[in-house]
Amino acid sequence: MPTKAPQDHKSPAKKNKKIAPHDPSEMFVYDAPHSGVTVTLPYTENLPSGAIRRAQKNAGDNEMAFYFAILEELLEDDFEDTVDPLLQREIAEMIKRWEGESATELGESSAS
C-alpha cells in the first residue's frame, strides 16, 4: 500500500490560498481557550523539510499521528507539557488556524 505524502495530509478546502510567506522569525501563536495553554510554532512555510520528512516517516498514513509527530519534533522537550493538556477540539482548531494563517500547508511548496 503506498504511503501518503505530506501534502496528502492537508485539507482539500484551502486550494487557492494567497497569503504572503511570513518571515522565519514570525511565529504562529495559539492560546487554547479551555486548557489555558499557549502553543508557539513556526508558520508551516518556515518548517525545516527534515522535520516534515521525519514526521511523515513516523506517522505513515495516520493524519493525526502526522500532526503529533510534527508537533513533537517542533516542541521537543516541551511537547508533553504543551500538547497533553489540550482538549481534542483545541488541537483541531489550532491545526486549522495554523495551516489557515500560514502561506503553505504542511508539505506544500510555497510555489503551489
Side-chain angles (χ1 to χ4, degrees), residues 2-72:
T3 59
K4 287 186 174 184
Q7 63 270 17
D8 295 338
H9 289 286
K10 64 186 176 187
S11 63
K14 299 178 193 131
K15 292 283 185 194
N16 297 319
K17 183 189 294 199
K18 300 289 185 211
I19 296 174
H22 297 85
D23 184 274
S25 65
E26 290 182 77
M27 301 296 265
F28 168 80
V29 178
Y30 177 76
D31 292 313
H34 302 286
S35 62
V37 174
T38 298
V39 182
T40 304
L41 302 165
Y43 285 94
T44 61
E45 69 268 17
N46 295 323
L47 296 179
S49 58
I52 296 169
R53 181 188 55 77
R54 285 185 295 275
Q56 175 59 40
K57 181 180 176 182
N58 293 333
D61 289 341
N62 186 310
E63 183 178 52
M64 203 63 210
F66 172 76
Y67 286 111
F68 280 126
I70 196 75
L71 290 172
E72 189 166 16

